[in-house]
Amino acid sequence: DSGVTQTPKHLITATGQRVTLRCSPRSGDLSVYWYQQSLDQGLQFLIHYYNGEERAKGNILERFSAQQFPDLHSELNLSSLELGDSALYFCASGHGFYLEDEQFFGPGTRLTVL
Amino acid sequence: QKEVEQDPGPLSVPEGAIVSLNCTYSNSAFQYFMWYRQYSRKGPELLMYTYSSGNKEDGRFTAQVDKSSKYISLFIRDSQPSDSATYLCAMSAVAQKLVFGQGTRLTINP
């Protein structure tokens, strides 16, 4: 158990809908990273927050947004969902400030868009 | 061409064997190298984190980095059935995102 929690574990929704994924980092970690894992693309970096501030963006679609709250938990919002958004979404947390610092992954949220 | 290439396997070996997992990369700016283990339907678990060329050992695991050849390896000694998982290499340059390999699916047969 990495100490990172993610809810919900599974999410099934329809095209065009909006969902929110939640992540609580390990105690003491200030960084939260979001990733998408699909069979064809593998693990892809989406976005990084450090202590409430956005630090870096990766391959994140404009339909997706995220934020990190004062208590350091983070939410990833996915809107206007498409079939291709079906994937595993992981958050990771770390103590460091940089993208290349050690990251500890949560158990993931499996999103299915029908 | 992908920045990080990793043979997806599957790789199947008998219990007790030495396992060698490898990744090659094309970006010479990569300086940080990691290995993650991912069990089915679980999140990736950080196994090894290395910065420079050379070897790093942790228990039955040894990570090896050869920057001149742009090649990294993970060796597992005395492999156990509990080592059966997908192994992902990951790497990054300074202040850059992690880039992951596709993962190698490993099975250790009792």
Side-chain angles (χ1 to χ4, degrees):
Chain A
D1 185 354
S2 67
V4 179
T5 60
Q6 288 187 250
T7 57
K9 285 187 178 179
H10 303 278
L11 204 48
I12 301 175
T13 188
T15 55
Q17 295 298 304
R18 173 189 168 94
V19 297
T20 298
L21 313 182
R22 183 187 169 102
C23 168
S24 292
R26 297 183 318 162
S27 177
D29 284 352
L30 298 178
S31 272
V32 170
Y33 312 79
W34 284 98
Y35 290 85
Q36 179 192 61
Q37 186 177 40
S38 61
L39 280 174
D40 56 340
Q41 295 290 320
L43 258 173
Q44 298 285 319
F45 167 72
L46 295 177
I47 198 163
H48 170 214
Y49 279 84
Y50 179 84
N51 201 21
E53 298 290 324
E54 182 185 303
R55 284 274 301 147
K57 274 187 173 180
N59 306 324
I60 188 165
L61 300 171
E62 284 192 13
R63 300 183 285 108
F64 296 0
S65 65
Q67 54 183 325
Q68 187 180 26
F69 294 86
D71 67 352
L72 300 177
H73 91 272
S74 178
E75 293 181 356
L76 179 66
N77 300 296
L78 315 177
S79 61
S80 303
L81 285 167
E82 301 175 359
L83 295 177
D85 297 328
S86 295
L88 270 168
Y89 291 84
F90 290 105
C91 87
S93 77
H95 193 68
F97 179 72
Y98 299 103
L99 283 167
E100 65 268 30
D101 288 332
E102 290 186 353
Q103 298 177 28
F104 299 88
F105 282 73
T109 293
R110 182 175 296 275
L111 173 67
T112 302
V113 182
L114 301 175
Chain B
Q1 184 189 4
K2 292 183 178 179
E3 277 189 289
V4 179
E5 297 280 357
Q6 184 176 9
D7 187 339
L11 180 62
S12 182
V13 301
E15 183 176 355
I18 296 175
V19 177
S20 172
L21 303 166
N22 312 295
C23 288
T24 60
Y25 61 96
S26 57
N27 187 345
S28 57
F30 286 151
Q31 294 191 37
Y32 302 88
F33 304 92
M34 302 116 211
W35 284 96
Y36 284 85
R37 177 175 64 194
Q38 186 174 21
Y39 292 112
S40 181
R41 298 186 176 276
K42 301 287 187 183
E45 172 193 0
L46 181 64
L47 286 177
M48 302 288 278
Y49 181 99
T50 58
Y51 170 69
S52 58
S53 282
N55 293 355
K56 180 178 180 179
E57 191 173 317
D58 184 0
R60 296 185 296 111
F61 298 92
T62 299
Q64 192 173 78
V65 174
D66 183 348
K67 286 186 180 179
S68 62
S69 301
K70 297 191 181 68
Y71 188 89
I72 70 169
S73 300
L74 178 71
F75 298 96
I76 307 174
R77 291 184 300 281
D78 187 25
S79 55
Q80 305 294 312
S82 59
D83 295 327
S84 298
T86 296
Y87 288 79
L88 298 151
C89 64
M91 47 198 82
S92 73
V94 175
Q96 298 297 309
K97 65 179 183 180
L98 286 189
V99 180
F100 284 82
Q102 282 292 104
T104 300
R105 183 177 294 181
L106 172 66
T107 300
I108 308 297
N109 301 303

